[in-house]
mmCIF file of all heavy atoms in Angstrom:
data_model
loop_
_atom_site.group_PDB
_atom_site.id
_atom_site.type_symbol
_atom_site.label_atom_id
_atom_site.label_comp_id
_atom_site.label_asym_id
_atom_site.label_seq_id
_atom_site.Cartn_x
_atom_site.Cartn_y
_atom_site.Cartn_z
ATOM 1 N N LEU A 1 -218.039 -102.312 -14.947
ATOM 2 C CA LEU A 1 -218.298 -103.044 -16.183
ATOM 3 C C LEU A 1 -219.792 -103.291 -16.368
ATOM 4 O O LEU A 1 -220.349 -103.049 -17.448
ATOM 5 C CB LEU A 1 -217.544 -104.373 -16.188
ATOM 6 C CG LEU A 1 -217.834 -105.282 -17.400
ATOM 7 C CD1 LEU A 1 -217.554 -104.552 -18.708
ATOM 8 C CD2 LEU A 1 -217.039 -106.569 -17.309
ATOM 9 N N ASP A 2 -220.449 -103.764 -15.333
ATOM 10 C CA ASP A 2 -221.888 -104.029 -15.441
ATOM 11 C C ASP A 2 -222.666 -102.757 -15.754
ATOM 12 O O ASP A 2 -223.616 -102.763 -16.546
ATOM 13 C CB ASP A 2 -222.411 -104.647 -14.143
ATOM 14 C CG ASP A 2 -221.981 -106.102 -13.967
ATOM 15 O OD1 ASP A 2 -221.331 -106.639 -14.887
ATOM 16 O OD2 ASP A 2 -222.294 -106.683 -12.919
ATOM 17 N N ALA A 3 -222.266 -101.649 -15.132
ATOM 18 C CA ALA A 3 -222.967 -100.388 -15.374
ATOM 19 C C ALA A 3 -222.781 -99.925 -16.814
ATOM 20 O O ALA A 3 -223.746 -99.544 -17.488
ATOM 21 C CB ALA A 3 -222.471 -99.315 -14.402
ATOM 22 N N PHE A 4 -221.550 -99.966 -17.303
ATOM 23 C CA PHE A 4 -221.295 -99.523 -18.670
ATOM 24 C C PHE A 4 -222.031 -100.383 -19.693
ATOM 25 O O PHE A 4 -222.386 -99.905 -20.772
ATOM 26 C CB PHE A 4 -219.796 -99.557 -18.977
ATOM 27 C CG PHE A 4 -219.013 -98.431 -18.357
ATOM 28 C CD1 PHE A 4 -217.796 -98.677 -17.735
ATOM 29 C CD2 PHE A 4 -219.480 -97.126 -18.397
ATOM 30 C CE1 PHE A 4 -217.066 -97.647 -17.164
ATOM 31 C CE2 PHE A 4 -218.753 -96.081 -17.827
ATOM 32 C CZ PHE A 4 -217.536 -96.345 -17.208
ATOM 33 N N GLN A 5 -222.279 -101.648 -19.355
ATOM 34 C CA GLN A 5 -222.932 -102.536 -20.317
ATOM 35 C C GLN A 5 -224.460 -102.493 -20.227
ATOM 36 O O GLN A 5 -225.139 -103.034 -21.097
ATOM 37 C CB GLN A 5 -222.445 -103.972 -20.124
ATOM 38 C CG GLN A 5 -220.998 -104.157 -20.569
ATOM 39 C CD GLN A 5 -220.655 -105.593 -20.907
ATOM 40 O OE1 GLN A 5 -221.021 -106.513 -20.166
ATOM 41 N NE2 GLN A 5 -219.948 -105.796 -22.004
ATOM 42 N N LEU A 6 -225.008 -101.822 -19.219
ATOM 43 C CA LEU A 6 -226.461 -101.785 -19.063
ATOM 44 C C LEU A 6 -227.191 -101.229 -20.290
ATOM 45 O O LEU A 6 -228.208 -101.797 -20.715
ATOM 46 C CB LEU A 6 -226.838 -100.965 -17.828
ATOM 47 C CG LEU A 6 -226.742 -101.680 -16.474
ATOM 48 C CD1 LEU A 6 -226.924 -100.676 -15.340
ATOM 49 C CD2 LEU A 6 -227.776 -102.785 -16.378
ATOM 50 N N PRO A 7 -226.733 -100.124 -20.897
ATOM 51 C CA PRO A 7 -227.489 -99.583 -22.037
ATOM 52 C C PRO A 7 -227.567 -100.534 -23.232
ATOM 53 O O PRO A 7 -228.460 -100.404 -24.069
ATOM 54 C CB PRO A 7 -226.722 -98.305 -22.407
ATOM 55 C CG PRO A 7 -226.006 -97.928 -21.151
ATOM 56 C CD PRO A 7 -225.631 -99.231 -20.518
ATOM 57 N N GLY A 8 -226.651 -101.476 -23.330
ATOM 58 C CA GLY A 8 -226.670 -102.404 -24.450
ATOM 59 C C GLY A 8 -227.500 -103.645 -24.216
ATOM 60 O O GLY A 8 -227.585 -104.516 -25.081
ATOM 61 N N ARG A 9 -228.127 -103.731 -23.046
ATOM 62 C CA ARG A 9 -228.909 -104.915 -22.707
ATOM 63 C C ARG A 9 -230.395 -104.688 -22.940
ATOM 64 O O ARG A 9 -230.902 -103.593 -22.703
ATOM 65 C CB ARG A 9 -228.683 -105.301 -21.242
ATOM 66 C CG ARG A 9 -227.257 -105.743 -20.940
ATOM 67 C CD ARG A 9 -227.074 -106.016 -19.461
ATOM 68 N NE ARG A 9 -225.731 -106.477 -19.166
ATOM 69 C CZ ARG A 9 -225.246 -106.636 -17.949
ATOM 70 N NH1 ARG A 9 -226.021 -106.364 -16.889
ATOM 71 N NH2 ARG A 9 -224.011 -107.060 -17.758
ATOM 72 N N PRO A 10 -231.116 -105.714 -23.375
ATOM 73 C CA PRO A 10 -232.567 -105.570 -23.520
ATOM 74 C C PRO A 10 -233.239 -105.472 -22.152
ATOM 75 O O PRO A 10 -232.666 -105.846 -21.122
ATOM 76 C CB PRO A 10 -232.976 -106.852 -24.254
ATOM 77 C CG PRO A 10 -231.900 -107.838 -23.948
ATOM 78 C CD PRO A 10 -230.641 -107.048 -23.805
ATOM 79 N N LYS A 11 -234.473 -104.993 -22.158
ATOM 80 C CA LYS A 11 -235.227 -104.792 -20.931
ATOM 81 C C LYS A 11 -235.319 -106.075 -20.108
ATOM 82 O O LYS A 11 -235.225 -106.040 -18.865
ATOM 83 C CB LYS A 11 -236.623 -104.282 -21.279
ATOM 84 C CG LYS A 11 -237.563 -104.114 -20.108
ATOM 85 C CD LYS A 11 -238.911 -103.591 -20.577
ATOM 86 C CE LYS A 11 -239.924 -103.523 -19.462
ATOM 87 N NZ LYS A 11 -241.237 -103.019 -19.938
ATOM 88 N N ALA A 12 -235.472 -107.212 -20.780
ATOM 89 C CA ALA A 12 -235.600 -108.481 -20.047
ATOM 90 C C ALA A 12 -234.365 -108.752 -19.198
ATOM 91 O O ALA A 12 -234.463 -109.311 -18.100
ATOM 92 C CB ALA A 12 -235.833 -109.626 -21.034
ATOM 93 N N GLU A 13 -233.193 -108.347 -19.680
ATOM 94 C CA GLU A 13 -231.966 -108.574 -18.907
ATOM 95 C C GLU A 13 -231.852 -107.597 -17.738
ATOM 96 O O GLU A 13 -231.187 -107.895 -16.742
ATOM 97 C CB GLU A 13 -230.751 -108.485 -19.818
ATOM 98 C CG GLU A 13 -230.649 -109.656 -20.793
ATOM 99 C CD GLU A 13 -229.339 -109.671 -21.555
ATOM 100 O OE1 GLU A 13 -228.379 -108.990 -21.129
ATOM 101 O OE2 GLU A 13 -229.279 -110.355 -22.585
ATOM 102 N N HIS A 14 -232.471 -106.428 -17.847
ATOM 103 C CA HIS A 14 -232.519 -105.537 -16.693
ATOM 104 C C HIS A 14 -233.327 -106.168 -15.562
ATOM 105 O O HIS A 14 -233.036 -105.960 -14.380
ATOM 106 C CB HIS A 14 -233.149 -104.195 -17.081
ATOM 107 C CG HIS A 14 -232.295 -103.383 -17.998
ATOM 108 N ND1 HIS A 14 -232.753 -102.240 -18.605
ATOM 109 C CD2 HIS A 14 -231.006 -103.536 -18.419
ATOM 110 C CE1 HIS A 14 -231.797 -101.717 -19.348
ATOM 111 N NE2 HIS A 14 -230.728 -102.506 -19.269
ATOM 112 N N LEU A 15 -234.336 -106.949 -15.929
ATOM 113 C CA LEU A 15 -235.174 -107.600 -14.920
ATOM 114 C C LEU A 15 -234.486 -108.798 -14.280
ATOM 115 O O LEU A 15 -234.735 -109.104 -13.114
ATOM 116 C CB LEU A 15 -236.502 -108.028 -15.541
ATOM 117 C CG LEU A 15 -237.442 -106.892 -15.966
ATOM 118 C CD1 LEU A 15 -238.618 -107.443 -16.756
ATOM 119 C CD2 LEU A 15 -237.930 -106.113 -14.744
ATOM 120 N N THR A 16 -233.625 -109.487 -15.043
ATOM 121 C CA THR A 16 -232.945 -110.663 -14.500
ATOM 122 C C THR A 16 -231.561 -110.342 -13.939
ATOM 123 O O THR A 16 -231.021 -111.128 -13.157
ATOM 124 C CB THR A 16 -232.803 -111.745 -15.577
ATOM 125 O OG1 THR A 16 -232.057 -111.213 -16.689
ATOM 126 C CG2 THR A 16 -234.172 -112.217 -16.065
ATOM 127 N N GLY A 17 -230.995 -109.195 -14.325
ATOM 128 C CA GLY A 17 -229.645 -108.852 -13.882
ATOM 129 C C GLY A 17 -229.598 -108.252 -12.489
ATOM 130 O O GLY A 17 -228.508 -107.988 -11.971
ATOM 131 N N PHE A 18 -230.765 -108.022 -11.902
ATOM 132 C CA PHE A 18 -230.831 -107.513 -10.542
ATOM 133 C C PHE A 18 -231.978 -108.200 -9.826
ATOM 134 O O PHE A 18 -233.052 -108.383 -10.399
ATOM 135 C CB PHE A 18 -231.052 -105.995 -10.537
ATOM 136 C CG PHE A 18 -231.109 -105.400 -9.156
ATOM 137 C CD1 PHE A 18 -229.948 -105.191 -8.431
ATOM 138 C CD2 PHE A 18 -232.322 -105.060 -8.578
ATOM 139 C CE1 PHE A 18 -230.000 -104.649 -7.147
ATOM 140 C CE2 PHE A 18 -232.382 -104.512 -7.297
ATOM 141 C CZ PHE A 18 -231.222 -104.304 -6.582
ATOM 142 N N ARG A 19 -231.749 -108.582 -8.591
ATOM 143 C CA ARG A 19 -232.788 -109.206 -7.768
ATOM 144 C C ARG A 19 -232.969 -108.384 -6.504
ATOM 145 O O ARG A 19 -231.989 -108.047 -5.836
ATOM 146 C CB ARG A 19 -232.398 -110.639 -7.392
ATOM 147 C CG ARG A 19 -232.439 -111.626 -8.537
ATOM 148 C CD ARG A 19 -232.253 -113.052 -8.029
ATOM 149 N NE ARG A 19 -230.904 -113.274 -7.548
ATOM 150 C CZ ARG A 19 -229.926 -113.790 -8.302
ATOM 151 N NH1 ARG A 19 -230.159 -114.101 -9.566
ATOM 152 N NH2 ARG A 19 -228.727 -113.968 -7.797
ATOM 153 N N LEU A 20 -234.223 -108.079 -6.185
ATOM 154 C CA LEU A 20 -234.513 -107.292 -4.983
ATOM 155 C C LEU A 20 -235.510 -108.050 -4.120
ATOM 156 O O LEU A 20 -236.688 -108.179 -4.471
ATOM 157 C CB LEU A 20 -235.078 -105.920 -5.360
ATOM 158 C CG LEU A 20 -235.357 -104.985 -4.178
ATOM 159 C CD1 LEU A 20 -234.071 -104.666 -3.414
ATOM 160 C CD2 LEU A 20 -236.016 -103.696 -4.654
ATOM 161 N N GLU A 21 -235.032 -108.544 -2.999
ATOM 162 C CA GLU A 21 -235.920 -109.218 -2.064
ATOM 163 C C GLU A 21 -236.929 -108.213 -1.505
ATOM 164 O O GLU A 21 -236.562 -107.105 -1.132
ATOM 165 C CB GLU A 21 -235.105 -109.824 -0.915
ATOM 166 C CG GLU A 21 -234.128 -110.908 -1.361
ATOM 167 C CD GLU A 21 -233.248 -111.385 -0.213
ATOM 168 O OE1 GLU A 21 -233.620 -111.183 0.967
ATOM 169 O OE2 GLU A 21 -232.180 -111.964 -0.497
ATOM 170 N N ARG A 22 -238.182 -108.592 -1.491
ATOM 171 C CA ARG A 22 -239.297 -107.764 -1.042
ATOM 172 C C ARG A 22 -239.554 -106.597 -1.996
ATOM 173 O O ARG A 22 -240.249 -105.639 -1.661
ATOM 174 C CB ARG A 22 -239.062 -107.238 0.390
ATOM 175 C CG ARG A 22 -238.793 -108.320 1.410
ATOM 176 C CD ARG A 22 -238.520 -107.770 2.788
ATOM 177 N NE ARG A 22 -239.735 -107.298 3.435
ATOM 178 C CZ ARG A 22 -239.864 -106.085 3.969
ATOM 179 N NH1 ARG A 22 -238.870 -105.210 3.911
ATOM 180 N NH2 ARG A 22 -240.985 -105.726 4.558
ATOM 181 N N GLY A 23 -239.036 -106.694 -3.217
ATOM 182 C CA GLY A 23 -239.194 -105.619 -4.182
ATOM 183 C C GLY A 23 -240.634 -105.379 -4.592
ATOM 184 O O GLY A 23 -240.974 -104.281 -5.059
ATOM 185 N N GLU A 24 -241.482 -106.389 -4.401
ATOM 186 C CA GLU A 24 -242.890 -106.216 -4.772
ATOM 187 C C GLU A 24 -243.552 -105.097 -3.968
ATOM 188 O O GLU A 24 -244.564 -104.524 -4.396
ATOM 189 C CB GLU A 24 -243.659 -107.522 -4.572
ATOM 190 C CG GLU A 24 -243.833 -107.983 -3.133
ATOM 191 C CD GLU A 24 -242.630 -108.698 -2.547
ATOM 192 O OE1 GLU A 24 -241.625 -108.861 -3.269
ATOM 193 O OE2 GLU A 24 -242.699 -109.094 -1.369
ATOM 194 N N LEU A 25 -242.970 -104.751 -2.808
ATOM 195 C CA LEU A 25 -243.538 -103.661 -2.009
ATOM 196 C C LEU A 25 -243.493 -102.338 -2.766
ATOM 197 O O LEU A 25 -244.404 -101.514 -2.645
ATOM 198 C CB LEU A 25 -242.788 -103.541 -0.683
ATOM 199 C CG LEU A 25 -242.925 -104.726 0.282
ATOM 200 C CD1 LEU A 25 -242.031 -104.528 1.493
ATOM 201 C CD2 LEU A 25 -244.376 -104.890 0.721
ATOM 202 N N LEU A 26 -242.447 -102.136 -3.543
ATOM 203 C CA LEU A 26 -242.360 -100.899 -4.326
ATOM 204 C C LEU A 26 -243.497 -100.823 -5.331
ATOM 205 O O LEU A 26 -244.103 -99.759 -5.528
ATOM 206 C CB LEU A 26 -241.014 -100.817 -5.037
ATOM 207 C CG LEU A 26 -239.767 -100.725 -4.152
ATOM 208 C CD1 LEU A 26 -238.523 -100.614 -5.026
ATOM 209 C CD2 LEU A 26 -239.858 -99.545 -3.204
ATOM 210 N N GLY A 27 -243.785 -101.952 -5.983
ATOM 211 C CA GLY A 27 -244.881 -101.985 -6.941
ATOM 212 C C GLY A 27 -246.219 -101.664 -6.289
ATOM 213 O O GLY A 27 -247.060 -100.969 -6.881
ATOM 214 N N GLN A 28 -246.410 -102.147 -5.072
ATOM 215 C CA GLN A 28 -247.655 -101.857 -4.359
ATOM 216 C C GLN A 28 -247.779 -100.373 -4.048
ATOM 217 O O GLN A 28 -248.849 -99.771 -4.201
ATOM 218 C CB GLN A 28 -247.706 -102.672 -3.069
ATOM 219 C CG GLN A 28 -247.820 -104.174 -3.291
ATOM 220 C CD GLN A 28 -247.696 -104.962 -1.995
ATOM 221 O OE1 GLN A 28 -247.793 -104.410 -0.902
ATOM 222 N NE2 GLN A 28 -247.476 -106.260 -2.120
ATOM 223 N N HIS A 29 -246.662 -99.754 -3.623
ATOM 224 C CA HIS A 29 -246.704 -98.328 -3.302
ATOM 225 C C HIS A 29 -246.953 -97.490 -4.549
ATOM 226 O O HIS A 29 -247.670 -96.484 -4.489
ATOM 227 C CB HIS A 29 -245.407 -97.902 -2.618
ATOM 228 C CG HIS A 29 -245.198 -98.530 -1.278
ATOM 229 N ND1 HIS A 29 -246.193 -98.600 -0.321
ATOM 230 C CD2 HIS A 29 -244.111 -99.130 -0.723
ATOM 231 C CE1 HIS A 29 -245.723 -99.196 0.767
ATOM 232 N NE2 HIS A 29 -244.462 -99.529 0.539
ATOM 233 N N VAL A 30 -246.362 -97.887 -5.670
ATOM 234 C CA VAL A 30 -246.605 -97.164 -6.921
ATOM 235 C C VAL A 30 -248.079 -97.281 -7.308
ATOM 236 O O VAL A 30 -248.721 -96.300 -7.681
ATOM 237 C CB VAL A 30 -245.691 -97.701 -8.040
ATOM 238 C CG1 VAL A 30 -246.120 -97.140 -9.399
ATOM 239 C CG2 VAL A 30 -244.234 -97.345 -7.764
ATOM 240 N N ALA A 31 -248.624 -98.496 -7.210
ATOM 241 C CA ALA A 31 -250.026 -98.710 -7.562
ATOM 242 C C ALA A 31 -250.961 -97.908 -6.662
ATOM 243 O O ALA A 31 -252.004 -97.427 -7.108
ATOM 244 C CB ALA A 31 -250.361 -100.194 -7.487
ATOM 245 N N ASP A 32 -250.559 -97.747 -5.406
ATOM 246 C CA ASP A 32 -251.384 -96.994 -4.458
ATOM 247 C C ASP A 32 -251.143 -95.488 -4.531
ATOM 248 O O ASP A 32 -251.755 -94.725 -3.775
ATOM 249 C CB ASP A 32 -251.092 -97.473 -3.027
ATOM 250 C CG ASP A 32 -251.549 -98.904 -2.783
ATOM 251 O OD1 ASP A 32 -252.420 -99.381 -3.542
ATOM 252 O OD2 ASP A 32 -251.026 -99.539 -1.849
ATOM 253 N N LYS A 33 -250.241 -95.072 -5.417
ATOM 254 C CA LYS A 33 -249.932 -93.648 -5.616
ATOM 255 C C LYS A 33 -249.375 -92.971 -4.371
ATOM 256 O O LYS A 33 -249.604 -91.779 -4.136
ATOM 257 C CB LYS A 33 -251.183 -92.881 -6.098
ATOM 258 C CG LYS A 33 -251.740 -93.358 -7.419
ATOM 259 C CD LYS A 33 -250.780 -93.120 -8.573
ATOM 260 C CE LYS A 33 -251.389 -93.506 -9.906
ATOM 261 N NZ LYS A 33 -250.435 -93.367 -11.029
ATOM 262 N N VAL A 34 -248.640 -93.743 -3.563
ATOM 263 C CA VAL A 34 -248.005 -93.138 -2.393
ATOM 264 C C VAL A 34 -246.494 -93.026 -2.564
ATOM 265 O O VAL A 34 -245.834 -92.301 -1.829
ATOM 266 C CB VAL A 34 -248.313 -93.922 -1.100
ATOM 267 C CG1 VAL A 34 -249.800 -93.914 -0.806
ATOM 268 C CG2 VAL A 34 -247.786 -95.346 -1.179
ATOM 269 N N GLY A 35 -245.939 -93.747 -3.547
ATOM 270 C CA GLY A 35 -244.510 -93.694 -3.782
ATOM 271 C C GLY A 35 -243.718 -94.305 -2.646
ATOM 272 O O GLY A 35 -244.274 -94.866 -1.688
ATOM 273 N N ALA A 36 -242.408 -94.191 -2.731
ATOM 274 C CA ALA A 36 -241.537 -94.722 -1.686
ATOM 275 C C ALA A 36 -240.185 -94.031 -1.778
ATOM 276 O O ALA A 36 -239.667 -93.782 -2.866
ATOM 277 C CB ALA A 36 -241.352 -96.231 -1.839
ATOM 278 N N VAL A 37 -239.619 -93.714 -0.623
ATOM 279 C CA VAL A 37 -238.252 -93.210 -0.524
ATOM 280 C C VAL A 37 -237.354 -94.406 -0.224
ATOM 281 O O VAL A 37 -237.648 -95.193 0.679
ATOM 282 C CB VAL A 37 -238.109 -92.160 0.591
ATOM 283 C CG1 VAL A 37 -236.684 -91.628 0.641
ATOM 284 C CG2 VAL A 37 -239.100 -91.022 0.390
ATOM 285 N N VAL A 38 -236.261 -94.538 -0.981
ATOM 286 C CA VAL A 38 -235.367 -95.675 -0.807
ATOM 287 C C VAL A 38 -233.952 -95.150 -0.603
ATOM 288 O O VAL A 38 -233.373 -94.517 -1.492
ATOM 289 C CB VAL A 38 -235.406 -96.614 -2.030
ATOM 290 C CG1 VAL A 38 -234.523 -97.830 -1.785
ATOM 291 C CG2 VAL A 38 -236.839 -97.039 -2.339
ATOM 292 N N ALA A 39 -233.398 -95.377 0.582
ATOM 293 C CA ALA A 39 -232.035 -94.954 0.899
ATOM 294 C C ALA A 39 -231.058 -96.062 0.523
ATOM 295 O O ALA A 39 -231.221 -97.214 0.951
ATOM 296 C CB ALA A 39 -231.919 -94.635 2.384
ATOM 297 N N LEU A 40 -230.057 -95.711 -0.279
ATOM 298 C CA LEU A 40 -229.126 -96.697 -0.817
ATOM 299 C C LEU A 40 -227.707 -96.454 -0.318
ATOM 300 O O LEU A 40 -227.304 -95.302 -0.116
ATOM 301 C CB LEU A 40 -229.075 -96.618 -2.348
ATOM 302 C CG LEU A 40 -230.358 -96.690 -3.155
ATOM 303 C CD1 LEU A 40 -230.058 -96.341 -4.600
ATOM 304 C CD2 LEU A 40 -230.956 -98.065 -3.058
ATOM 305 N N PRO A 41 -226.911 -97.521 -0.183
ATOM 306 C CA PRO A 41 -225.475 -97.348 0.011
ATOM 307 C C PRO A 41 -224.758 -97.372 -1.340
ATOM 308 O O PRO A 41 -225.313 -97.821 -2.348
ATOM 309 C CB PRO A 41 -225.105 -98.586 0.832
ATOM 310 C CG PRO A 41 -226.022 -99.653 0.290
ATOM 311 C CD PRO A 41 -227.319 -98.943 -0.072
ATOM 312 N N HIS A 42 -223.519 -96.911 -1.360
ATOM 313 C CA HIS A 42 -222.680 -97.078 -2.545
ATOM 314 C C HIS A 42 -222.171 -98.532 -2.531
ATOM 315 O O HIS A 42 -221.013 -98.806 -2.217
ATOM 316 C CB HIS A 42 -221.495 -96.117 -2.514
ATOM 317 C CG HIS A 42 -221.856 -94.695 -2.803
ATOM 318 N ND1 HIS A 42 -222.401 -93.855 -1.849
ATOM 319 C CD2 HIS A 42 -221.740 -93.960 -3.944
ATOM 320 C CE1 HIS A 42 -222.600 -92.654 -2.392
ATOM 321 N NE2 HIS A 42 -222.216 -92.691 -3.657
ATOM 322 N N ALA A 43 -223.045 -99.442 -2.858
ATOM 323 C CA ALA A 43 -222.707 -100.861 -2.760
ATOM 324 C C ALA A 43 -223.380 -101.627 -3.892
ATOM 325 O O ALA A 43 -224.390 -101.176 -4.440
ATOM 326 C CB ALA A 43 -223.149 -101.434 -1.411
ATOM 327 N N GLY A 44 -222.816 -102.789 -4.237
ATOM 328 C CA GLY A 44 -223.396 -103.582 -5.309
ATOM 329 C C GLY A 44 -223.476 -102.767 -6.577
ATOM 330 O O GLY A 44 -222.518 -102.116 -6.992
ATOM 331 N N ASN A 45 -224.654 -102.733 -7.195
ATOM 332 C CA ASN A 45 -224.833 -101.968 -8.437
ATOM 333 C C ASN A 45 -226.125 -101.176 -8.359
ATOM 334 O O ASN A 45 -227.201 -101.687 -8.664
ATOM 335 C CB ASN A 45 -224.838 -102.901 -9.652
ATOM 336 C CG ASN A 45 -224.729 -102.131 -10.958
ATOM 337 O OD1 ASN A 45 -225.200 -101.010 -11.069
ATOM 338 N ND2 ASN A 45 -224.113 -102.748 -11.954
ATOM 339 N N TRP A 46 -226.025 -99.922 -7.929
ATOM 340 C CA TRP A 46 -227.212 -99.075 -7.790
ATOM 341 C C TRP A 46 -227.786 -98.672 -9.145
ATOM 342 O O TRP A 46 -228.974 -98.427 -9.265
ATOM 343 C CB TRP A 46 -226.915 -97.848 -6.928
ATOM 344 C CG TRP A 46 -225.716 -97.042 -7.330
ATOM 345 C CD1 TRP A 46 -225.686 -95.933 -8.137
ATOM 346 C CD2 TRP A 46 -224.369 -97.270 -6.926
ATOM 347 N NE1 TRP A 46 -224.406 -95.463 -8.258
ATOM 348 C CE2 TRP A 46 -223.578 -96.259 -7.524
ATOM 349 C CE3 TRP A 46 -223.743 -98.224 -6.107
ATOM 350 C CZ2 TRP A 46 -222.193 -96.175 -7.346
ATOM 351 C CZ3 TRP A 46 -222.367 -98.144 -5.933
ATOM 352 C CH2 TRP A 46 -221.606 -97.142 -6.543
#
């Protein structure tokens, strides 16, 4: 249900509808142009 409703939500709700602890590390890697590989489980809402 959450996945099907994602396209109908504004960008602000994409930011509040998911929380990632230590997520700021991804932003740092993007800013440094090194990127990041993230291995995910089929869990929660990928």
Side-chain angles (χ1 to χ4, degrees):
L1 175 56
D2 287 357
F4 284 136
Q5 289 203 315
L6 279 171
R9 295 176 178 172
K11 176 179 175 180
E13 290 188 17
H14 291 171
L15 292 171
T16 59
F18 181 77
R19 289 189 291 266
L20 183 62
E21 297 174 20
R22 305 178 75 232
E24 68 279 359
L25 294 175
L26 296 181
Q28 293 173 15
H29 295 314
V30 169
D32 293 339
K33 299 295 184 184
V34 298
V37 182
V38 183
L40 307 170
H42 286 80
N45 192 328
W46 52 94

